[in-house]
């Protein structure tokens, strides 16, 4: 189970959604697809429990690497 946080331009959480995925990579793909469908959000973050794992915004340059 992963949690996606959708952030505004000030990095404030505007919405969140829990998703089930078999792997982190699957969760990332789903999170990026959801962000693409929600242009009013600036960034999506993927979390597992209290661990931040991934962050991406609109455009390829705003993607951040995985944290372990």
């Amino acid at each position: 189970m992963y949690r996606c946080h959708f952030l505004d331009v000030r990095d404030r959480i505007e919405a969140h959604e829990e998703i089930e995925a078999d792997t982190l990579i699957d969760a990332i793909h789903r999170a990026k697809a959801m962000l693409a469908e929600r242009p009013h959000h600036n960034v999506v973050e993927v979390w597992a429990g209290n661990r931040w794992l991934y962050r991406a915004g609109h455009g390829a340059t705003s993607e951040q690497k995985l944290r372990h």
Side-chain angles (χ1 to χ4, degrees):
M1 184 70 71
Y2 295 91
R3 183 177 203 98
C4 296
H5 290 218
F6 297 92
L7 310 175
D8 65 12
V9 294
R10 293 184 179 114
D11 277 345
R12 294 184 182 151
I13 297 172
E14 293 184 312
H16 63 270
E17 197 165 321
E18 290 188 5
I19 57 173
E20 289 188 40
D22 292 331
T23 67
L24 177 57
I25 298 301
D26 291 339
I28 288 170
H29 289 298
R30 290 188 57 201
K32 289 171 72 174
M34 287 190 291
L35 181 63
E37 295 170 356
R38 302 170 189 198
H40 54 285
H41 296 300
N42 191 52
V43 170
V44 65
E45 293 182 342
V46 177
W47 291 72
N50 64 353
R51 287 184 29 216
W52 173 80
L53 300 172
Y54 180 82
R55 176 183 171 104
H58 293 288
T61 59
S62 59
E63 191 169 315
Q64 292 186 1
K65 301 295 181 194
L66 304 177
R67 285 189 177 180
H68 296 283

